[in-house]
Amino acid sequence: MSLNQDFVGRSFVSPVPFQVGREQIRQFARAIGDDNPLYHDVEAAKAAGHPDLVAPPTFLITAIPGALGLPTDDPALGLDYALVVHGEQRFVLRRPVLAGDELITTSTLTAIRAVGRNEVLVTTYRYTATSGEEVAVGTCTLVSRGTAPPRA
């Protein structure tokens, strides 16, 4: 069954700010095997001109609300996670993510397109500090295997 194109353009805003903590940053950096002192040592981060620990760029994946930050659990979309593989993830930082940041994430399903027998879903994430400053923009691409409509 094809995915519901009516979902393209729908947005979801995180209901509460995501609070970036020092230990979250350290744990994430350890999990990805990155020993950069800016991610672990407050004094090293301050010496480099930052007010607190800096998060690795991919840390933002942890700030996506819910499973993907979309109404993907809505049966009307037609997404079966048993058929989904992760295609791509990108982040464009406007500034570093720092311990102490409070981020609101707005996610928008920006495209569903057929590629052969698969459908590709593209989601855009906007990470905004509670002050209103845009911190980053992310893009996630998922592939729904075998759900594209047959070609005429």
Side-chain angles (χ1 to χ4, degrees):
M1 181 173 122
S2 299
L3 299 177
N4 186 343
Q5 289 286 332
D6 291 341
F7 275 68
V8 174
R10 288 191 188 183
S11 293
F12 177 84
V13 179
S14 56
V16 296
F18 179 85
Q19 297 187 6
V20 179
R22 286 179 179 167
E23 268 320 295
Q24 290 172 308
I25 291 172
R26 289 179 179 125
Q27 288 173 356
F28 187 87
R30 279 193 300 273
I32 63 171
D34 197 328
D35 59 1
N36 184 328
L38 299 180
Y39 307 155
H40 298 276
D41 182 341
V42 174
E43 294 311 313
K46 287 182 178 180
H50 302 286
D52 211 317
L53 291 183
V54 176
T58 55
F59 175 83
L60 287 170
I61 194 71
T62 65
I64 295 174
L68 291 173
L70 283 173
T72 51
D73 292 334
D74 187 332
L77 175 60
L79 186 63
D80 178 354
Y81 275 102
L83 303 174
V84 171
V85 293
H86 190 261
E88 182 178 20
Q89 190 81 42
R90 292 178 184 225
F91 297 100
V92 176
L93 298 174
R94 307 291 187 226
R95 68 152 172 86
V97 175
L98 304 166
D101 278 341
E102 292 187 352
L103 303 175
I104 300 291
T105 306
T106 302
S107 53
T108 304
L109 182 56
T110 52
I112 299 174
R113 68 181 187 281
V115 178
R117 285 288 301 132
N118 302 320
E119 289 179 283
V120 176
L121 293 86
V122 180
T123 305
T124 301
Y125 299 95
R126 297 205 175 278
Y127 302 90
T128 307
T130 52
S131 66
E133 174 190 17
E134 185 176 82
V135 175
V137 176
T139 304
C140 176
T141 303
L142 300 177
V143 179
S144 180
R145 297 172 293 137
T147 59
R151 290 192 226 186

PDB file of all heavy atoms in Angstrom, residues 58-95:
ATOM      1  N   THR A  58      26.025  15.556  15.457  1.00  0.00           N
ATOM      2  CA  THR A  58      24.973  14.548  15.323  1.00  0.00           C
ATOM      3  C   THR A  58      24.175  14.359  16.602  1.00  0.00           C
ATOM      4  O   THR A  58      23.196  13.620  16.617  1.00  0.00           O
ATOM      5  CB  THR A  58      25.560  13.210  14.857  1.00  0.00           C
ATOM      6  OG1 THR A  58      26.599  12.819  15.767  1.00  0.00           O
ATOM      7  CG2 THR A  58      26.103  13.312  13.440  1.00  0.00           C
ATOM      8  N   PHE A  59      24.554  15.033  17.680  1.00  0.00           N
ATOM      9  CA  PHE A  59      23.814  14.973  18.942  1.00  0.00           C
ATOM     10  C   PHE A  59      22.348  15.363  18.736  1.00  0.00           C
ATOM     11  O   PHE A  59      21.466  14.905  19.461  1.00  0.00           O
ATOM     12  CB  PHE A  59      24.466  15.912  19.964  1.00  0.00           C
ATOM     13  CG  PHE A  59      23.727  16.027  21.267  1.00  0.00           C
ATOM     14  CD1 PHE A  59      23.907  15.080  22.264  1.00  0.00           C
ATOM     15  CD2 PHE A  59      22.846  17.078  21.498  1.00  0.00           C
ATOM     16  CE1 PHE A  59      23.226  15.181  23.469  1.00  0.00           C
ATOM     17  CE2 PHE A  59      22.161  17.182  22.690  1.00  0.00           C
ATOM     18  CZ  PHE A  59      22.356  16.225  23.685  1.00  0.00           C
ATOM     19  N   LEU A  60      22.086  16.204  17.755  1.00  0.00           N
ATOM     20  CA  LEU A  60      20.719  16.691  17.531  1.00  0.00           C
ATOM     21  C   LEU A  60      19.717  15.576  17.250  1.00  0.00           C
ATOM     22  O   LEU A  60      18.518  15.780  17.412  1.00  0.00           O
ATOM     23  CB  LEU A  60      20.705  17.723  16.409  1.00  0.00           C
ATOM     24  CG  LEU A  60      21.294  19.064  16.806  1.00  0.00           C
ATOM     25  CD1 LEU A  60      21.463  19.951  15.585  1.00  0.00           C
ATOM     26  CD2 LEU A  60      20.421  19.748  17.844  1.00  0.00           C
ATOM     27  N   ILE A  61      20.190  14.411  16.847  1.00  0.00           N
ATOM     28  CA  ILE A  61      19.270  13.288  16.633  1.00  0.00           C
ATOM     29  C   ILE A  61      18.523  12.968  17.932  1.00  0.00           C
ATOM     30  O   ILE A  61      17.379  12.514  17.903  1.00  0.00           O
ATOM     31  CB  ILE A  61      20.013  12.048  16.072  1.00  0.00           C
ATOM     32  CG1 ILE A  61      19.021  11.025  15.524  1.00  0.00           C
ATOM     33  CG2 ILE A  61      20.917  11.424  17.095  1.00  0.00           C
ATOM     34  CD1 ILE A  61      18.349  11.421  14.262  1.00  0.00           C
ATOM     35  N   THR A  62      19.130  13.260  19.070  1.00  0.00           N
ATOM     36  CA  THR A  62      18.492  12.969  20.360  1.00  0.00           C
ATOM     37  C   THR A  62      17.397  13.974  20.698  1.00  0.00           C
ATOM     38  O   THR A  62      16.589  13.727  21.584  1.00  0.00           O
ATOM     39  CB  THR A  62      19.518  12.931  21.506  1.00  0.00           C
ATOM     40  OG1 THR A  62      20.083  14.233  21.684  1.00  0.00           O
ATOM     41  CG2 THR A  62      20.616  11.925  21.246  1.00  0.00           C
ATOM     42  N   ALA A  63      17.357  15.105  19.988  1.00  0.00           N
ATOM     43  CA  ALA A  63      16.356  16.136  20.266  1.00  0.00           C
ATOM     44  C   ALA A  63      15.110  16.001  19.403  1.00  0.00           C
ATOM     45  O   ALA A  63      14.213  16.826  19.483  1.00  0.00           O
ATOM     46  CB  ALA A  63      16.974  17.525  20.066  1.00  0.00           C
ATOM     47  N   ILE A  64      15.048  14.950  18.565  1.00  0.00           N
ATOM     48  CA  ILE A  64      13.856  14.735  17.743  1.00  0.00           C
ATOM     49  C   ILE A  64      12.775  14.130  18.633  1.00  0.00           C
ATOM     50  O   ILE A  64      12.976  13.086  19.238  1.00  0.00           O
ATOM     51  CB  ILE A  64      14.158  13.814  16.545  1.00  0.00           C
ATOM     52  CG1 ILE A  64      15.151  14.504  15.602  1.00  0.00           C
ATOM     53  CG2 ILE A  64      12.880  13.435  15.803  1.00  0.00           C
ATOM     54  CD1 ILE A  64      15.631  13.626  14.470  1.00  0.00           C
ATOM     55  N   PRO A  65      11.625  14.784  18.744  1.00  0.00           N
ATOM     56  CA  PRO A  65      10.576  14.271  19.622  1.00  0.00           C
ATOM     57  C   PRO A  65       9.956  12.977  19.100  1.00  0.00           C
ATOM     58  O   PRO A  65       9.845  12.776  17.896  1.00  0.00           O
ATOM     59  CB  PRO A  65       9.545  15.398  19.647  1.00  0.00           C
ATOM     60  CG  PRO A  65       9.792  16.175  18.408  1.00  0.00           C
ATOM     61  CD  PRO A  65      11.246  16.006  18.064  1.00  0.00           C
ATOM     62  N   GLY A  66       9.569  12.128  20.008  1.00  0.00           N
ATOM     63  CA  GLY A  66       8.912  10.876  19.630  1.00  0.00           C
ATOM     64  C   GLY A  66       9.826   9.996  18.816  1.00  0.00           C
ATOM     65  O   GLY A  66      11.035  10.153  18.803  1.00  0.00           O
ATOM     66  N   ALA A  67       9.254   9.046  18.103  1.00  0.00           N
ATOM     67  CA  ALA A  67      10.048   8.131  17.289  1.00  0.00           C
ATOM     68  C   ALA A  67      10.787   8.898  16.199  1.00  0.00           C
ATOM     69  O   ALA A  67      11.983   8.766  16.037  1.00  0.00           O
ATOM     70  CB  ALA A  67       9.162   7.060  16.667  1.00  0.00           C
ATOM     71  N   LEU A  68      10.084   9.734  15.461  1.00  0.00           N
ATOM     72  CA  LEU A  68      10.714  10.538  14.408  1.00  0.00           C
ATOM     73  C   LEU A  68      10.245  11.986  14.438  1.00  0.00           C
ATOM     74  O   LEU A  68      10.607  12.766  13.588  1.00  0.00           O
ATOM     75  CB  LEU A  68      10.407   9.942  13.022  1.00  0.00           C
ATOM     76  CG  LEU A  68      11.066   8.614  12.742  1.00  0.00           C
ATOM     77  CD1 LEU A  68      10.553   8.043  11.429  1.00  0.00           C
ATOM     78  CD2 LEU A  68      12.572   8.762  12.681  1.00  0.00           C
ATOM     79  N   GLY A  69       9.423  12.327  15.398  1.00  0.00           N
ATOM     80  CA  GLY A  69       8.936  13.689  15.453  1.00  0.00           C
ATOM     81  C   GLY A  69       7.933  14.006  14.377  1.00  0.00           C
ATOM     82  O   GLY A  69       7.817  15.128  13.929  1.00  0.00           O
ATOM     83  N   LEU A  70       7.212  13.012  13.932  1.00  0.00           N
ATOM     84  CA  LEU A  70       6.187  13.182  12.912  1.00  0.00           C
ATOM     85  C   LEU A  70       4.939  12.430  13.333  1.00  0.00           C
ATOM     86  O   LEU A  70       4.998  11.576  14.202  1.00  0.00           O
ATOM     87  CB  LEU A  70       6.648  12.572  11.579  1.00  0.00           C
ATOM     88  CG  LEU A  70       7.637  13.356  10.754  1.00  0.00           C
ATOM     89  CD1 LEU A  70       8.081  12.517   9.578  1.00  0.00           C
ATOM     90  CD2 LEU A  70       7.002  14.631  10.259  1.00  0.00           C
ATOM     91  N   PRO A  71       3.843  12.682  12.674  1.00  0.00           N
ATOM     92  CA  PRO A  71       2.656  11.876  12.968  1.00  0.00           C
ATOM     93  C   PRO A  71       2.758  10.504  12.296  1.00  0.00           C
ATOM     94  O   PRO A  71       1.819  10.019  11.674  1.00  0.00           O
ATOM     95  CB  PRO A  71       1.520  12.728  12.403  1.00  0.00           C
ATOM     96  CG  PRO A  71       2.144  13.527  11.321  1.00  0.00           C
ATOM     97  CD  PRO A  71       3.564  13.769  11.748  1.00  0.00           C
ATOM     98  N   THR A  72       3.912   9.855  12.401  1.00  0.00           N
ATOM     99  CA  THR A  72       4.132   8.581  11.720  1.00  0.00           C
ATOM    100  C   THR A  72       3.350   7.436  12.339  1.00  0.00           C
ATOM    101  O   THR A  72       3.208   6.394  11.707  1.00  0.00           O
ATOM    102  CB  THR A  72       5.626   8.209  11.700  1.00  0.00           C
ATOM    103  OG1 THR A  72       6.127   8.299  13.031  1.00  0.00           O
ATOM    104  CG2 THR A  72       6.402   9.139  10.794  1.00  0.00           C
ATOM    105  N   ASP A  73       2.884   7.627  13.546  1.00  0.00           N
ATOM    106  CA  ASP A  73       2.080   6.578  14.169  1.00  0.00           C
ATOM    107  C   ASP A  73       0.630   6.622  13.698  1.00  0.00           C
ATOM    108  O   ASP A  73      -0.146   5.730  14.014  1.00  0.00           O
ATOM    109  CB  ASP A  73       2.129   6.705  15.693  1.00  0.00           C
ATOM    110  CG  ASP A  73       3.505   6.389  16.243  1.00  0.00           C
ATOM    111  OD1 ASP A  73       4.247   5.627  15.591  1.00  0.00           O
ATOM    112  OD2 ASP A  73       3.846   6.914  17.319  1.00  0.00           O
ATOM    113  N   ASP A  74       0.280   7.665  12.974  1.00  0.00           N
ATOM    114  CA  ASP A  74      -1.078   7.783  12.452  1.00  0.00           C
ATOM    115  C   ASP A  74      -1.264   6.726  11.366  1.00  0.00           C
ATOM    116  O   ASP A  74      -0.570   6.748  10.346  1.00  0.00           O
ATOM    117  CB  ASP A  74      -1.293   9.181  11.882  1.00  0.00           C
ATOM    118  CG  ASP A  74      -2.733   9.454  11.469  1.00  0.00           C
ATOM    119  OD1 ASP A  74      -3.452   8.491  11.115  1.00  0.00           O
ATOM    120  OD2 ASP A  74      -3.120  10.630  11.482  1.00  0.00           O
ATOM    121  N   PRO A  75      -2.179   5.780  11.557  1.00  0.00           N
ATOM    122  CA  PRO A  75      -2.389   4.737  10.564  1.00  0.00           C
ATOM    123  C   PRO A  75      -2.725   5.276   9.176  1.00  0.00           C
ATOM    124  O   PRO A  75      -2.472   4.620   8.170  1.00  0.00           O
ATOM    125  CB  PRO A  75      -3.550   3.918  11.122  1.00  0.00           C
ATOM    126  CG  PRO A  75      -3.655   4.285  12.557  1.00  0.00           C
ATOM    127  CD  PRO A  75      -3.065   5.646  12.706  1.00  0.00           C
ATOM    128  N   ALA A  76      -3.256   6.498   9.112  1.00  0.00           N
ATOM    129  CA  ALA A  76      -3.631   7.067   7.818  1.00  0.00           C
ATOM    130  C   ALA A  76      -2.423   7.339   6.919  1.00  0.00           C
ATOM    131  O   ALA A  76      -2.569   7.436   5.703  1.00  0.00           O
ATOM    132  CB  ALA A  76      -4.436   8.353   8.021  1.00  0.00           C
ATOM    133  N   LEU A  77      -1.222   7.459   7.487  1.00  0.00           N
ATOM    134  CA  LEU A  77      -0.023   7.635   6.672  1.00  0.00           C
ATOM    135  C   LEU A  77       0.296   6.348   5.922  1.00  0.00           C
ATOM    136  O   LEU A  77       0.739   6.378   4.779  1.00  0.00           O
ATOM    137  CB  LEU A  77       1.173   8.058   7.521  1.00  0.00           C
ATOM    138  CG  LEU A  77       2.526   8.153   6.812  1.00  0.00           C
ATOM    139  CD1 LEU A  77       2.498   9.157   5.667  1.00  0.00           C
ATOM    140  CD2 LEU A  77       3.630   8.500   7.800  1.00  0.00           C
ATOM    141  N   GLY A  78       0.077   5.211   6.571  1.00  0.00           N
ATOM    142  CA  GLY A  78       0.336   3.925   5.927  1.00  0.00           C
ATOM    143  C   GLY A  78       1.767   3.444   6.050  1.00  0.00           C
ATOM    144  O   GLY A  78       2.190   2.568   5.301  1.00  0.00           O
ATOM    145  N   LEU A  79       2.525   3.983   6.989  1.00  0.00           N
ATOM    146  CA  LEU A  79       3.930   3.600   7.161  1.00  0.00           C
ATOM    147  C   LEU A  79       4.043   2.359   8.040  1.00  0.00           C
ATOM    148  O   LEU A  79       3.549   2.333   9.158  1.00  0.00           O
ATOM    149  CB  LEU A  79       4.720   4.751   7.777  1.00  0.00           C
ATOM    150  CG  LEU A  79       6.223   4.569   7.884  1.00  0.00           C
ATOM    151  CD1 LEU A  79       6.850   4.437   6.504  1.00  0.00           C
ATOM    152  CD2 LEU A  79       6.838   5.757   8.627  1.00  0.00           C
ATOM    153  N   ASP A  80       4.693   1.337   7.523  1.00  0.00           N
ATOM    154  CA  ASP A  80       4.949   0.095   8.256  1.00  0.00           C
ATOM    155  C   ASP A  80       6.446   0.052   8.545  1.00  0.00           C
ATOM    156  O   ASP A  80       7.257  -0.147   7.640  1.00  0.00           O
ATOM    157  CB  ASP A  80       4.524  -1.107   7.404  1.00  0.00           C
ATOM    158  CG  ASP A  80       4.807  -2.437   8.059  1.00  0.00           C
ATOM    159  OD1 ASP A  80       5.438  -2.477   9.141  1.00  0.00           O
ATOM    160  OD2 ASP A  80       4.406  -3.462   7.474  1.00  0.00           O
ATOM    161  N   TYR A  81       6.826   0.254   9.813  1.00  0.00           N
ATOM    162  CA  TYR A  81       8.241   0.323  10.164  1.00  0.00           C
ATOM    163  C   TYR A  81       9.000  -0.966   9.864  1.00  0.00           C
ATOM    164  O   TYR A  81      10.222  -0.950   9.743  1.00  0.00           O
ATOM    165  CB  TYR A  81       8.428   0.725  11.626  1.00  0.00           C
ATOM    166  CG  TYR A  81       8.401   2.230  11.793  1.00  0.00           C
ATOM    167  CD1 TYR A  81       7.269   2.874  12.281  1.00  0.00           C
ATOM    168  CD2 TYR A  81       9.493   3.000  11.435  1.00  0.00           C
ATOM    169  CE1 TYR A  81       7.232   4.249  12.409  1.00  0.00           C
ATOM    170  CE2 TYR A  81       9.465   4.378  11.559  1.00  0.00           C
ATOM    171  CZ  TYR A  81       8.344   4.987  12.045  1.00  0.00           C
ATOM    172  OH  TYR A  81       8.304   6.354  12.168  1.00  0.00           O
ATOM    173  N   ALA A  82       8.320  -2.052   9.693  1.00  0.00           N
ATOM    174  CA  ALA A  82       8.995  -3.297   9.316  1.00  0.00           C
ATOM    175  C   ALA A  82       9.577  -3.193   7.903  1.00  0.00           C
ATOM    176  O   ALA A  82      10.464  -3.967   7.533  1.00  0.00           O
ATOM    177  CB  ALA A  82       8.031  -4.478   9.400  1.00  0.00           C
ATOM    178  N   LEU A  83       9.108  -2.226   7.128  1.00  0.00           N
ATOM    179  CA  LEU A  83       9.566  -2.033   5.744  1.00  0.00           C
ATOM    180  C   LEU A  83      10.509  -0.846   5.583  1.00  0.00           C
ATOM    181  O   LEU A  83      10.918  -0.526   4.475  1.00  0.00           O
ATOM    182  CB  LEU A  83       8.353  -1.834   4.822  1.00  0.00           C
ATOM    183  CG  LEU A  83       7.308  -2.946   4.818  1.00  0.00           C
ATOM    184  CD1 LEU A  83       6.107  -2.547   3.975  1.00  0.00           C
ATOM    185  CD2 LEU A  83       7.912  -4.254   4.346  1.00  0.00           C
ATOM    186  N   VAL A  84      10.860  -0.185   6.695  1.00  0.00           N
ATOM    187  CA  VAL A  84      11.609   1.065   6.632  1.00  0.00           C
ATOM    188  C   VAL A  84      13.098   0.847   6.893  1.00  0.00           C
ATOM    189  O   VAL A  84      13.480   0.099   7.790  1.00  0.00           O
ATOM    190  CB  VAL A  84      11.046   2.082   7.653  1.00  0.00           C
ATOM    191  CG1 VAL A  84      11.929   3.319   7.773  1.00  0.00           C
ATOM    192  CG2 VAL A  84       9.632   2.487   7.264  1.00  0.00           C
ATOM    193  N   VAL A  85      13.918   1.502   6.067  1.00  0.00           N
ATOM    194  CA  VAL A  85      15.351   1.589   6.327  1.00  0.00           C
ATOM    195  C   VAL A  85      15.735   3.065   6.318  1.00  0.00           C
ATOM    196  O   VAL A  85      15.098   3.886   5.653  1.00  0.00           O
ATOM    197  CB  VAL A  85      16.209   0.800   5.300  1.00  0.00           C
ATOM    198  CG1 VAL A  85      15.969  -0.682   5.423  1.00  0.00           C
ATOM    199  CG2 VAL A  85      15.968   1.266   3.889  1.00  0.00           C
ATOM    200  N   HIS A  86      16.779   3.384   7.081  1.00  0.00           N
ATOM    201  CA  HIS A  86      17.262   4.754   7.174  1.00  0.00           C
ATOM    202  C   HIS A  86      18.119   5.057   5.961  1.00  0.00           C
ATOM    203  O   HIS A  86      19.024   4.309   5.631  1.00  0.00           O
ATOM    204  CB  HIS A  86      18.074   4.920   8.463  1.00  0.00           C
ATOM    205  CG  HIS A  86      18.419   6.325   8.776  1.00  0.00           C
ATOM    206  ND1 HIS A  86      19.645   6.852   8.490  1.00  0.00           N
ATOM    207  CD2 HIS A  86      17.696   7.309   9.348  1.00  0.00           C
ATOM    208  CE1 HIS A  86      19.669   8.118   8.881  1.00  0.00           C
ATOM    209  NE2 HIS A  86      18.511   8.417   9.404  1.00  0.00           N
ATOM    210  N   GLY A  87      17.814   6.138   5.273  1.00  0.00           N
ATOM    211  CA  GLY A  87      18.550   6.489   4.070  1.00  0.00           C
ATOM    212  C   GLY A  87      19.683   7.466   4.314  1.00  0.00           C
ATOM    213  O   GLY A  87      20.819   7.229   3.933  1.00  0.00           O
ATOM    214  N   GLU A  88      19.379   8.577   4.990  1.00  0.00           N
ATOM    215  CA  GLU A  88      20.381   9.633   5.152  1.00  0.00           C
ATOM    216  C   GLU A  88      19.971  10.552   6.292  1.00  0.00           C
ATOM    217  O   GLU A  88      18.786  10.707   6.584  1.00  0.00           O
ATOM    218  CB  GLU A  88      20.466  10.428   3.842  1.00  0.00           C
ATOM    219  CG  GLU A  88      21.495  11.516   3.838  1.00  0.00           C
ATOM    220  CD  GLU A  88      21.573  12.232   2.498  1.00  0.00           C
ATOM    221  OE1 GLU A  88      20.611  12.169   1.709  1.00  0.00           O
ATOM    222  OE2 GLU A  88      22.601  12.867   2.248  1.00  0.00           O
ATOM    223  N   GLN A  89      20.969  11.172   6.914  1.00  0.00           N
ATOM    224  CA  GLN A  89      20.731  12.142   7.983  1.00  0.00           C
ATOM    225  C   GLN A  89      21.749  13.270   7.799  1.00  0.00           C
ATOM    226  O   GLN A  89      22.937  12.997   7.613  1.00  0.00           O
ATOM    227  CB  GLN A  89      20.947  11.484   9.345  1.00  0.00           C
ATOM    228  CG  GLN A  89      20.512  12.320  10.507  1.00  0.00           C
ATOM    229  CD  GLN A  89      19.031  12.236  10.748  1.00  0.00           C
ATOM    230  OE1 GLN A  89      18.449  11.165  10.672  1.00  0.00           O
ATOM    231  NE2 GLN A  89      18.407  13.352  11.034  1.00  0.00           N
ATOM    232  N   ARG A  90      21.285  14.516   7.831  1.00  0.00           N
ATOM    233  CA  ARG A  90      22.175  15.675   7.699  1.00  0.00           C
ATOM    234  C   ARG A  90      21.780  16.744   8.701  1.00  0.00           C
ATOM    235  O   ARG A  90      20.595  16.897   9.015  1.00  0.00           O
ATOM    236  CB  ARG A  90      22.074  16.293   6.305  1.00  0.00           C
ATOM    237  CG  ARG A  90      22.605  15.448   5.215  1.00  0.00           C
ATOM    238  CD  ARG A  90      22.410  16.149   3.882  1.00  0.00           C
ATOM    239  NE  ARG A  90      22.856  15.272   2.827  1.00  0.00           N
ATOM    240  CZ  ARG A  90      23.600  15.649   1.821  1.00  0.00           C
ATOM    241  NH1 ARG A  90      23.973  16.900   1.715  1.00  0.00           N
ATOM    242  NH2 ARG A  90      23.957  14.792   0.910  1.00  0.00           N
ATOM    243  N   PHE A  91      22.787  17.488   9.138  1.00  0.00           N
ATOM    244  CA  PHE A  91      22.555  18.632  10.012  1.00  0.00           C
ATOM    245  C   PHE A  91      23.369  19.806   9.510  1.00  0.00           C
ATOM    246  O   PHE A  91      24.531  19.651   9.144  1.00  0.00           O
ATOM    247  CB  PHE A  91      22.975  18.332  11.460  1.00  0.00           C
ATOM    248  CG  PHE A  91      22.185  17.221  12.086  1.00  0.00           C
ATOM    249  CD1 PHE A  91      22.711  15.947  12.169  1.00  0.00           C
ATOM    250  CD2 PHE A  91      20.923  17.452  12.596  1.00  0.00           C
ATOM    251  CE1 PHE A  91      21.993  14.914  12.744  1.00  0.00           C
ATOM    252  CE2 PHE A  91      20.186  16.422  13.159  1.00  0.00           C
ATOM    253  CZ  PHE A  91      20.722  15.154  13.233  1.00  0.00           C
ATOM    254  N   VAL A  92      22.758  20.978   9.487  1.00  0.00           N
ATOM    255  CA  VAL A  92      23.459  22.225   9.193  1.00  0.00           C
ATOM    256  C   VAL A  92      23.334  23.068  10.452  1.00  0.00           C
ATOM    257  O   VAL A  92      22.224  23.465  10.833  1.00  0.00           O
ATOM    258  CB  VAL A  92      22.836  22.953   7.978  1.00  0.00           C
ATOM    259  CG1 VAL A  92      23.530  24.291   7.755  1.00  0.00           C
ATOM    260  CG2 VAL A  92      22.907  22.081   6.739  1.00  0.00           C
ATOM    261  N   LEU A  93      24.475  23.320  11.087  1.00  0.00           N
ATOM    262  CA  LEU A  93      24.479  24.078  12.333  1.00  0.00           C
ATOM    263  C   LEU A  93      24.624  25.571  12.055  1.00  0.00           C
ATOM    264  O   LEU A  93      25.491  25.973  11.273  1.00  0.00           O
ATOM    265  CB  LEU A  93      25.623  23.624  13.234  1.00  0.00           C
ATOM    266  CG  LEU A  93      25.579  22.169  13.685  1.00  0.00           C
ATOM    267  CD1 LEU A  93      26.841  21.822  14.457  1.00  0.00           C
ATOM    268  CD2 LEU A  93      24.358  21.907  14.528  1.00  0.00           C
ATOM    269  N   ARG A  94      23.784  26.363  12.680  1.00  0.00           N
ATOM    270  CA  ARG A  94      23.912  27.821  12.613  1.00  0.00           C
ATOM    271  C   ARG A  94      24.909  28.286  13.670  1.00  0.00           C
ATOM    272  O   ARG A  94      25.541  29.313  13.535  1.00  0.00           O
ATOM    273  CB  ARG A  94      22.571  28.509  12.841  1.00  0.00           C
ATOM    274  CG  ARG A  94      21.463  28.010  11.932  1.00  0.00           C
ATOM    275  CD  ARG A  94      21.687  28.412  10.489  1.00  0.00           C
ATOM    276  NE  ARG A  94      20.520  28.044   9.702  1.00  0.00           N
ATOM    277  CZ  ARG A  94      20.560  27.444   8.539  1.00  0.00           C
ATOM    278  NH1 ARG A  94      21.710  27.138   7.987  1.00  0.00           N
ATOM    279  NH2 ARG A  94      19.472  27.139   7.899  1.00  0.00           N
ATOM    280  N   ARG A  95      24.968  27.517  14.752  1.00  0.00           N
ATOM    281  CA  ARG A  95      25.933  27.720  15.831  1.00  0.00           C
ATOM    282  C   ARG A  95      26.054  26.401  16.574  1.00  0.00           C
ATOM    283  O   ARG A  95      25.203  25.515  16.423  1.00  0.00           O
ATOM    284  CB  ARG A  95      25.506  28.849  16.747  1.00  0.00           C
ATOM    285  CG  ARG A  95      24.243  28.524  17.561  1.00  0.00           C
ATOM    286  CD  ARG A  95      24.268  29.309  18.855  1.00  0.00           C
ATOM    287  NE  ARG A  95      23.070  29.230  19.634  1.00  0.00           N
ATOM    288  CZ  ARG A  95      22.801  28.266  20.525  1.00  0.00           C
ATOM    289  NH1 ARG A  95      23.624  27.248  20.695  1.00  0.00           N
ATOM    290  NH2 ARG A  95      21.686  28.300  21.232  1.00  0.00           N
TER     291      ARG A  95
END
